[in-house]
Amino acid sequence: GTAQIGVTGLAVMGRNLARNFARNGLTVAVHNRTAAKTRALVEEFGDEGTFVPAESAEEFVAALERPRRLMIMVKAGDPTDAVIQEFAPLLEEGDVIIDGGNAHFADTRRREKELRERGIHFVGVGVSGGEEGALHGPSIMPGGSPKSYESLGPLLERIAAKAPDGARTVAHIGPDGAGHFVKMVHNGIEYADMQLIAEAYHLLRSVAGYSPAQIAETFRTWNTGRLDSYLIEITAEVLAHTDEATGKPFVDVVVDQAEQKGTGRWTVQIALDLGVPVSGIAEAVFARAVSGHAALREASRGLPGPTARPLDAAEAARFADQVEQALYASKIVSYTQGFHQIRAGSDEYGWDVDLGSVAAIWRAGCIIRAAFLDRIRAAFDARHDLPSLLSDKQFAEEIGAAQDDWRAVVATAAVQGVPTPGFSAALSYYDALRAERLPAALTQGQRDFFGAHTYRRTDREGSFHTLWGGDRSEVSGA
Ligand code: NDP
């Protein structure tokens, strides 16, 4: 075979990735369960580069140069297993199967182990940036063995996006499921970012009394500063859009029930297992869930709330500045939490993930791309063992400078009855980390009272139990 890479699964993502490889000078074997899609790809885009169409699995495998690099871009879950089962028997030792779908990292770990035992490299790759990214340059998060990256890395580097400093947005994340894990957390952070932006919008609308068009302008201004990011940019676009049929702001004609495909939920489920407090991501997932409970919301509409107090123009402008501070501070917290989860996953599974390099490959190509990520990269590059993003001097200073406004915004939201689960959870996390003492000491006392769960003391080593039902003397714990 002559093809340097093969792509099977030619729906939007696979087709665009195949075109991206071909446009960058690679010979690409293409295959799809339904062969009509393979033919359509070659007919429509055949002049963009060198494609080798294959109708059968055998033909596809034969088209690949060795060691073979075969990328699967089919529906995640059972279809991915079916396709692996179909191709694995046709492959030889040293060949590489790449799964670019949105697989759960635990599935990737299982598949990698099974295929490793058969001498085949299995590389789970997180691909972010949607169909546009796939075609013009995604952010790519490959897991798998270092050996497989030697053969695959140079090809992925050709199709990845370019960060502002020219670096390609791809790096070997770590063994087995590390790439899909990091992609999962990326999506969780995306949920949190979107929720925080939504809260900022809600406050500007309900408290400051701004119109969607005015808020679009506000976001455009913010996008020239430290909040410069793809999500802020598209938010301004969406808010400025007018519905053609009604002439109303587009955002006012859309049903206010947010849907989800599940990667945010995965992030929170895994965070619970790892014991990592990703409260910002969790609140974002729950906020979508609340929005979707139409009957519950309908039944609750009559509950009493505060009387809104309209702001005058000067107060509204001042409030908008405060919201920018709250948004930025909360964003720092959600990235702090997301990177904590990546570090915890890396420790749990022995991946040795380089957090600076993760931030670096999120700078372009993906949905959460933002100027801010370059500073996160710098923070982790300067200190690999940085305990938390909040321990970085610059971020600590910035959040410190924002805190008064951040508190004012959360307080105003509470007084005016505007839900801000993201801003509030972020602020509580910040204050919990800062606290000299937490009421967890009381929690321990309660646990010892009803369940003899024991506690540790501040002044002596060991574990202790108080005889709550007896004379309340203290004994040594189990
Ligand atoms: P879909 O998830 O809609 O999957 C459709 C493709 O899967 C088709 O090529 C289809 O073949 C194939 N397929 C489904 N079941 C089987 C099966 N049992 N055996 C063989 N082939 C099968 O395609 P997308 O392009 O949207 O996404 C591909 C992957 O990329 C998914 O895992 C998705 O989660 C992930 N992804 C998607 C992003 C996006 O923005 N859409 C972004 C990042 C990742 P056929 O034509 O024969 O039906």
Side-chain angles (χ1 to χ4, degrees):
T2 56
Q4 287 137 308
I5 188 141
V7 179
T8 181
L10 301 174
V12 282
M13 289 299 287
R15 185 173 67 167
N16 282 356
L17 282 173
R19 290 173 62 197
N20 191 348
F21 280 123
R23 286 169 165 202
N24 282 289
L26 299 172
T27 301
V28 189
V30 285
H31 173 266
N32 192 66
R33 178 179 62 180
T34 313
K37 273 193 195 151
T38 313
R39 289 194 286 268
L41 166 63
V42 177
E43 258 164 50
E44 274 180 74
F45 306 108
D47 56 355
E48 290 184 353
T50 312
F51 295 100
V52 184
E55 304 234 331
S56 71
E58 290 76 11
E59 226 183 295
F60 182 55
V61 168
L64 298 169
E65 70 174 27
R66 296 189 52 201
R68 300 182 183 88
R69 288 169 291 224
L70 183 164
M71 185 160 195
I72 302 176
M73 285 307 294
V74 303
K75 212 176 257 319
D78 293 339
T80 304
D81 281 312
V83 172
I84 292 170
Q85 291 319 318
E86 184 183 1
F87 285 101
L90 307 175
L91 299 180
E92 287 164 292
E93 215 171 303
D95 288 350
V96 186
I97 296 182
I98 303 125
D99 175 18
N102 263 336
H104 192 289
F105 80 97
D107 286 334
T108 302
R109 282 169 59 78
R110 167 178 58 79
R111 291 167 182 150
E112 195 274 340
K113 184 167 178 290
E114 284 167 14
L115 289 162
R116 184 169 6 110
E117 283 158 8
R118 297 157 76 167
I120 296 167
H121 296 286
F122 182 76
V123 182
V125 177
V127 179
S128 175
E131 43 180 305
E132 278 301 297
L135 184 59
H136 300 292
S139 171
I140 311 178
M141 294 150 254
S145 66
K147 181 86 191 149
S148 65
Y149 194 74
E150 279 175 30
S151 131
L152 186 62
L155 307 194
L156 297 179
E157 275 159 30
R158 291 219 207 174
I159 64 157
K162 266 190 195 164
D165 65 0
R168 294 289 184 167
T169 55
V170 56
H172 183 233
I173 302 289
D176 60 76
H180 275 137
F181 186 96
V182 165
K183 170 70 198 310
M184 173 187 79
V185 176
H186 163 284
N187 286 26
I189 292 175
E190 175 186 312
Y191 273 58
D193 262 352
M194 291 170 70
Q195 174 62 22
L196 295 174
I197 292 172
E199 290 177 18
Y201 155 75
H202 196 179
L203 288 165
L204 293 177
R205 190 95 194 249
S206 300
V207 178
Y210 284 7
S211 68
Q214 281 175 298
I215 302 172
E217 268 320 300
T218 306
F219 277 111
R220 282 199 183 109
T221 311
W222 290 355
N223 203 38
T224 62
R226 59 191 181 172
L227 282 168
D228 177 0
S229 62
Y230 172 71
L231 280 171
I232 294 277
E233 179 191 326
I234 65 160
T235 302
E237 295 284 326
V238 173
L239 287 172
H241 183 57
T242 303
D243 175 54
E244 223 172 276
T246 60
K248 289 184 185 165
F250 167 79
V251 71
D252 287 349
V253 300
V254 177
V255 174
D256 61 344
Q257 297 177 25
E259 296 174 16
Q260 47 185 316
K261 290 214 292 196
T263 40
R265 183 169 57 231
W266 286 353
T267 311
V268 178
Q269 285 169 337
I270 300 305
L272 290 172
D273 292 340
L274 292 168
V276 181
V278 292
S279 48
I281 300 170
E283 290 295 353
V285 174
F286 285 138
R288 291 196 194 188
V290 168
S291 79
H293 280 285
L296 180 62
R297 289 173 61 194
E298 184 58 41
S300 313
R301 207 141 281 158
L303 291 173
T307 316
R309 190 184 71 79
L311 303 185
D312 66 32
E315 285 173 324
R318 167 80 191 114
F319 183 67
D321 289 343
Q322 292 183 316
V323 171
E324 193 269 347
Q325 298 278 357
L327 177 54
Y328 187 67
S330 303
K331 187 176 161 86
I332 294 176
V333 167
S334 26
Y335 282 73
T336 300
Q337 296 181 341
F339 278 92
H340 182 185
Q341 181 164 359
I342 295 175
R343 175 168 282 155
S346 176
D347 290 347
E348 173 74 16
Y349 298 106
W351 289 327
D352 199 21
V353 176
D354 177 345
L355 300 184
S357 137
V358 170
I361 66 172
W362 287 350
R363 290 177 302 168
C366 63
I367 305 298
I368 65 170
R369 60 186 183 259
F372 169 75
L373 277 158
D374 198 45
R375 311 221 353 257
I376 299 185
R377 176 199 59 78
F380 284 117
D381 281 357
R383 241 190 99 185
H384 285 274
D385 61 344
L386 194 68
S388 142
L389 210 49
L390 291 177
S391 357
D392 176 71
K393 192 164 163 289
Q394 266 199 31
F395 281 118
E397 276 172 16
E398 280 184 311
I399 213 164
Q403 62 149 342
D404 287 341
D405 285 338
W406 189 13
R407 294 180 195 288
V409 167
V410 170
T412 301
V415 169
Q416 302 259 37
V418 177
T420 51
F423 285 0
S424 307
L427 182 56
S428 288
Y429 175 86
Y430 175 72
D431 283 332
L433 289 191
R434 279 187 330 104
E436 190 67 43
R437 294 272 300 160
L438 286 171
L442 176 59
T443 309
Q444 284 297 83
Q446 293 164 324
R447 294 178 70 246
D448 190 59
F449 189 104
F450 66 67
H453 291 302
T454 76
Y455 50 88
R456 286 176 295 130
R457 294 183 56 99
T458 56
D459 54 357
R460 267 180 285 144
E461 287 292 307
S463 85
F464 301 91
H465 169 56
T466 290
L467 301 170
W468 296 103
D471 66 357
R472 308 217 159 168
S473 59
E474 188 173 73
V475 295
S476 184

